[in-house]
Amino acid sequence: FRSRGLGDVYKRQDEEGLIEYLKSPKTFVQSNPRLLYLDEQYPIAMPAYGTTDEKDLRKLAEFILNS
């Protein structure tokens, strides 16, 4: 099962990139024109997980990429 919003994220993002996004969504979005455009069209606040343990972020990224 793949959700509508994240269904093909694995085509656009690898694990390292997804972890960087989870750590600091605003910074990551600012560095990517496609995401910047989407952020302007659909402004949704994404919390930053910058203080979350790297191991836990890897588990979350793996779950998202394989769901």
Side-chain angles (χ1 to χ4, degrees):
F1 170 74
R2 293 197 186 277
S3 67
R4 291 181 84 180
L6 298 174
D8 62 351
V9 70
Y10 67 94
K11 293 178 184 176
R12 298 182 310 270
Q13 201 56 255
D14 62 11
E15 185 176 301
E16 295 302 318
L18 187 52
I19 289 171
E20 289 305 311
Y21 173 75
L22 293 169
K23 286 180 179 178
S24 181
K26 288 185 186 243
T27 301
F28 193 85
V29 166
Q30 294 298 320
S31 69
N32 183 307
R34 182 181 138 317
L35 293 179
L36 188 56
Y37 170 78
L38 290 172
D39 187 56
E40 291 169 355
Q41 300 302 307
Y42 309 99
I44 298 172
M46 172 68 183
Y49 295 95
T51 59
T52 302
D53 183 69
E54 182 85 14
K55 186 172 133 183
D56 292 334
L57 288 174
R58 288 201 179 279
K59 288 179 186 177
L60 180 56
E62 182 180 337
F63 175 78
I64 291 169
L65 293 170
N66 294 309
S67 292

